[in-house]
């Protein structure tokens, strides 16, 4: 029974990881010509001191210079699509997950490699994912993975019902 519970938890974590990773590092665009940003930390209600950068949509974060940088609170009037970066000791890193709060309001999450407190959070207002996401190659999950996952969940549920009936 404990193995079944841990298997379900592992499966849920894998599905969550696949769903968030598929939306990470995307290209953004402004909805009204003026986008606003607020970086926060877990330990303080005030804006964080993390440095964020805005790059061109086709820029390589390892070698390109940002178009605009800010710490804490920022406002940017882009002329086209852009992407975000966080400055770390090893260079610029892109976001690894995002969450939509409302129309045009997102929470972007960055990971700091080699640091004890690894998460940096950035709220972005008046932004949306760009219609053209050709900045990188995206490999979709085959439909067979989704069908196999739903079948596995069905088998787990059926196996649980049989053990309850026999007892």
């Amino acid at each position: 029974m404990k193995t079944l519970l841990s298997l379900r938890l592992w499966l849920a974590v894998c599905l969550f990881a696949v769903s968030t990773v598929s939306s990470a590092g995307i290209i953004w665009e402004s909805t009204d010509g003026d986008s606003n940003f607020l970086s926060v930390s877990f330990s303080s209600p005030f804006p964080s001191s993390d440095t964020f950068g805005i790059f061109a949509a086709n820029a390589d974060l390892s070698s390109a210079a940002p178009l605009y940088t800010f710490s804490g609170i920022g406002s940017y009037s882009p002329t086209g699509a852009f992407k975000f970066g966080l400055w770390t000791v090893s260079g610029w890193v892109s976001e690894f997950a995002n969450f939509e709060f409302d129309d045009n309001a997102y929470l972007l999450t960055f990971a700091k490699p080699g640091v004890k407190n690894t998460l940096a959070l950035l709220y972005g207002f008046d932004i949306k994912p760009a219609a053209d996401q050709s900045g990188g190659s995206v490999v979709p999950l085959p439909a067979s993975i989704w069908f196999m996952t739903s079948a596995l969940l069905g088998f787990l549920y059926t196996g649980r019902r049989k053990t309850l009936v026999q007892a």
Side-chain angles (χ1 to χ4, degrees), residues 71-94:
S71 293
I73 299 173
S75 181
Y76 182 64
S77 300
T79 57
F82 56 91
K83 58 184 167 183
F84 294 101
L86 169 70
W87 180 251
T88 65
V89 292
S90 59
W92 292 99
V93 295
S94 65

Side-chain angles (χ1 to χ4, degrees), residues 94-113:
S94 65
E95 72 197 69
F96 75 89
N98 60 64
F99 177 76
E100 181 178 7
F101 282 113
D102 192 16
D103 291 340
N104 309 327
Y106 286 83
L107 172 65
L108 309 174
T109 309
F110 297 82
K112 301 176 191 176

Side-chain angles (χ1 to χ4, degrees), residues 59-159:
D60 179 15
L61 268 60
S62 63
S63 61
L67 303 172
Y68 174 71
T69 60
F70 63 94
S71 293
I73 299 173
S75 181
Y76 182 64
S77 300
T79 57
F82 56 91
K83 58 184 167 183
F84 294 101
L86 169 70
W87 180 251
T88 65
V89 292
S90 59
W92 292 99
V93 295
S94 65
E95 72 197 69
F96 75 89
N98 60 64
F99 177 76
E100 181 178 7
F101 282 113
D102 192 16
D103 291 340
N104 309 327
Y106 286 83
L107 172 65
L108 309 174
T109 309
F110 297 82
K112 301 176 191 176
V115 178
K116 189 175 185 181
N117 183 10
T118 61
L119 288 182
L121 303 174
L122 176 67
Y123 289 98
F125 303 98
D126 300 326
I127 62 173
K128 66 178 182 176
D132 180 20
Q133 293 291 326
S134 61
S137 62
V138 177
V139 179
L141 289 175
S144 60
I145 290 178
W146 297 113
F147 288 126
M148 184 61 94
T149 304
S150 63
L152 181 60
L153 288 173
F155 287 138
L156 290 175
Y157 180 74
T158 305

Side-chain angles (χ1 to χ4, degrees), residues 10-43:
W10 177 82
L11 186 60
V13 167
C14 288
L15 288 175
F16 177 72
V18 167
S19 67
T20 57
V21 169
S22 63
S23 64
I26 64 175
I27 300 170
W28 299 91
E29 63 186 6
S30 178
T31 59
D32 65 356
D34 183 30
S35 300
N36 301 299
F37 310 102
L38 170 67
S39 65
V40 295
S41 65
F42 291 109
S43 59

